[in-house]
Amino acid sequence: MSLAAVAVTAATRRPVPTHTLGFPRMGAQRALKFALESFWRGDSTEAELQSTAAQLRQLHWQAQADTGLGFVTVGDFALYDHVANHIQLLGCEPARFGFDGHTHELARYFAMARGVSAQAVAAHEGCSAGCTTPHHTTGQPALEMTKWFDTNYHYLVPEFSAHTQFHLASERLFAEVAEAQALGHRVKAVLLGPLSFLWLGKSKAAGFDRFSLLESLLPVYEAVLARLKAQGVEWVQIDEPILGLDLPDAWRHAFEPSYWQLARSAPKLLLATYFSPLAENLRLACQLPVAGLHVDAVRAPDELVGVADWLPSHKVLSVGIVDGRNIWRTDLDAALQKLRPVADKHQGELWLAPSCSLLHVPFSLEAETQLDAEVKSWLAFAVEKLDELRVLATALSQGEAAVDDELHAARTALAARRASPHVHRATVAARIAAAAPGADQRANAFPARQKAQRARLKLPLLPTTTIGSFPQTAEIRAARAAFKRGALDAAHYQQKMEAEIALAVRKQEALGLDVLVHGEAERNDMVEYFGEQLDGFAFTANGWVQSYGSRCVKPPIIYGDVARPTPMTVAWTQYAQSLTAKPMKGMLTGPLTILQWSFVRDDQPRATTADQIAWAIRDEVCDLEAAGIAIIQIDEPAIREGLPLRRAGWKSYLERATRAFRISASGVRNDTQIHTHMCYSEFNDILPAIASMDADVITIETSRSDMELLQGFGDFRYPNEIGPGVYDIHSPRVPGVQEMAALLEKAAEVVPVEHLWVNPDCGLKTRGWPETEAALRHMVQAAQEVRERL
Ligand code: GLN
Ligand code: ZN
């Protein structure tokens, strides 16, 4: 044996510790959700809630210890949100809640998370009835919530102003560390790093730059780290995911001095990055004065070798090799192939981990007793992913023979997935390959279509419509649930749903709306209804992922080529149209939204899957047209959510996304009108892409921004028709006629009036009928008044 060979063997025979950046909090059966909701209803005590939480932490640490993880992770657990935990830890709860020194920590926590009712504020401040102090009549709204990077998890946004002060203000983290230590675990604590914490917050006062708070924040981090060190914590994982974003120079340059300052009092720091490539921050991340660096080798596989080159050999390199964002079993052979050169190159310690926290995947496959066995064998949820780490680490440190069975099982499952006729449907690929190059274009440009649609539809100026759903009453939900359980047969279910459709149509006719909808009574949500009818989708029984607080979502799994065996909405829509002479708008969810709210297959590019869904939706659009439906809406509320975290990726994403939308929409004649709907408040930076979708009509959320949002469309000279929402559907408040008329007139100053539609901001499924009817009555009247005034 040559010396070199000995060296390589020795290098790879080092122990390879494993760890996780975080673990799902809800519990295998969502115990945390139920405990929280019971506590909020007043059905259980704080002690009961805390005891459930402690039990869950104990179970989750045990699961980590059982798979041989080097440490258990402490500090990732939260009763509502980990960013909210940091707000309390760092003592920067917003003053607007009016907490005094006596309010209990947990009460303050849920007040920030869920808001405070007017009654509670007034009572707390000892105020008498009839008081008009603003926050005594309106309460205090919760902290804003926003998406955690590009995930579907929502965090509570810290609020910063020139008055913000920090101090170490919560014992929670240290208590949890002590709890884990008492259970005999070796602890790695986790913190959200100071720069990411500030970045993720929001400056509350105009012109205030939250960056200026860094100096006063760092000493509190020092104090936290010193406390952890005093507790005997050897490693602290400090998350700075913003290193994967396009950062202003000031923020980038602040990393080095900040971490020098923290290093003074800290235990060993493992700087954790995830979700996107480090790119220009790679060298910076490698050279910071910390003891280790974690990188996401799933999202940025090409950077791994560069990191191994740049990272000094005395530092730990933690490789995020198992996908923390998706549910597929890891290709262990491919992972080992990726890891071996890194293990050779990096002379320091090598650790293995999931790419990011496992918060974003369901708990365990064990609960999936109903799932198709074949599909199930291709999956790994959080618990299974921990085991994959064990196998990979063992293979690296002791050789593959030590985990021969596990590697073999993984190989077999992967081979079966690759060869499965349920995954690969030749007809789907063949159809896409054979599509004409112009398949994503309507036959004629918008002006010709507009003319044909006007001739066919004969709508008034400022046509009125709604976004699709009507109130989902308890009765509707009960009928759907009974049908799912098998307690209601198909014929009775159909009767019930048709009765709901008929009711919605009657009400819309009475209100005098111009374009009607069937109301979406048969839909639980926007994706499940379609996924259940499309080939290539699977549904889990218990694959819950936290969305925010106690709320969880159960995303479908797209495992195979997508096709539409039979029409999905035609019968309901046709029935609805048969009840009225007014145009009935067909209602579909678009390809990007279906993609964004599902677990997507990893064995082909996302764009390919998007195209497949687009073709399936196109089939539905064409069938609706053939059934005589003249207007079809394809909702894309999630198209923006798919934007890559770094700008460099935006252009190609938007090109593919808008193309997929156009594929779904372009199979129809000129005189069939395609609508789309989006509901978020940032459009201006992607307006060209939105225009390139070429929908005949787009409806958007604008009422909360007082039509300001529309200005961008006006300045851009948005070419097609547009329905800016004239009332906010998020609250039961019924706006007056004049209020909506004023908004419409404002809109007409920005957009040519012959291009304007009149509609609410979004669907009405969360509202009750009384306020819905009242608001729509006002809306129709507002449209009439503005028509007359023009
Ligand atoms: N058509 C859907 C509805 O009205 C749109 C929902 C959405 O935009 N999120 O409910
Ligand atoms: Zn919407």
Side-chain angles (χ1 to χ4, degrees), residues 467-469 520 526 587 597 633 635 637 677 679 762-765:
I467 305 304
S469 57
E520 302 181 26
M526 298 181 63
M587 195 56 56
W597 294 347
Q633 178 172 315
D635 288 324
H677 166 72
C679 41
C762 190
L764 297 158
K765 63 169 166 256

Side-chain angles (χ1 to χ4, degrees), residues 34-48:
F34 302 116
L36 280 167
E37 290 171 1
S38 150
F39 174 71
W40 292 334
R41 277 195 311 270
D43 291 348
S44 54
T45 63
E46 178 180 343
E48 286 167 314

Side-chain angles (χ1 to χ4, degrees), residues 320-470:
I321 190 75
V322 166
D323 193 348
R325 293 288 298 275
N326 215 331
I327 41 67
W328 304 104
R329 205 168 172 154
T330 306
D331 179 343
L332 297 176
D333 290 326
L336 287 169
Q337 220 166 25
K338 223 190 285 181
L339 289 168
R340 275 199 197 93
V342 176
D344 291 348
K345 199 171 248 182
H346 181 65
Q347 293 305 306
E349 247 188 271
L350 183 72
W351 294 4
L352 299 185
S355 57
C356 58
S357 169
L358 294 172
L359 182 64
H360 311 291
V361 293
F363 189 88
S364 161
L365 277 171
E366 209 172 297
E368 298 305 326
T369 47
Q370 305 296 313
L371 194 62
D372 176 82
E374 192 189 11
V375 174
K376 187 173 166 181
S377 73
W378 304 334
L379 306 179
F381 292 174
V383 169
E384 291 78 27
K385 284 175 191 285
L386 294 184
D387 200 54
E388 291 183 330
L389 290 173
R390 174 188 67 81
V391 175
L392 288 171
T394 312
L396 279 183
S397 59
Q398 298 169 31
E400 292 186 15
V403 278
D404 199 37
D405 290 351
E406 290 94 328
L407 290 174
H408 181 74
R411 247 170 244 144
T412 311
L414 190 70
R417 185 177 163 207
R418 285 203 179 115
S420 170
H422 299 125
V423 172
H424 309 281
R425 294 163 195 270
T427 48
V428 175
R431 176 185 188 192
I432 294 182
D440 70 324
Q441 301 290 330
R442 298 285 293 270
N444 285 104
F446 177 67
R449 305 199 306 262
Q450 192 179 37
K451 209 166 151 214
Q453 291 160 21
R454 284 188 173 158
R456 178 179 183 190
L457 294 166
K458 303 189 178 65
L459 294 168
L461 191 69
L462 298 172
T464 54
T465 190
T466 60
I467 305 304
S469 57
F470 275 120

Side-chain angles (χ1 to χ4, degrees), residues 93-211:
E93 294 161 58
R96 69 180 171 87
F97 289 99
F99 302 136
D100 54 35
H102 307 295
T103 320
H104 182 50
E105 181 172 77
L106 192 71
R108 298 191 327 256
Y109 187 76
F110 288 138
M112 291 194 300
R114 309 180 68 229
V116 188
S117 71
Q119 267 170 325
V121 174
H124 177 75
E125 295 182 10
C127 173
S128 58
C131 145
T132 52
T133 309
H135 71 284
H136 289 188
T137 51
T138 56
Q140 258 320 327
L143 292 185
E144 220 174 273
M145 245 183 351
T146 196
K147 275 177 185 276
W148 176 249
F149 297 85
D150 60 350
T151 72
N152 236 328
Y153 175 80
H154 300 73
Y155 71 94
L156 292 166
V157 181
E159 293 177 359
F160 299 126
S161 73
H163 305 295
T164 302
Q165 289 186 347
F166 302 101
H167 66 284
L168 204 174
S170 168
E171 288 295 309
R172 185 189 285 124
L173 174 65
F174 314 114
E176 287 177 14
V177 166
E179 196 180 297
Q181 286 170 331
L183 291 163
H185 296 301
R186 195 172 159 214
V187 168
K188 178 198 67 183
V190 51
L191 284 174
L192 180 56
L195 284 132
S196 292
F197 178 72
L198 274 185
W199 178 266
L200 293 167
K202 187 176 166 178
S203 300
K204 265 314 232 191
F208 176 72
D209 184 359
R210 62 200 189 286
F211 181 71

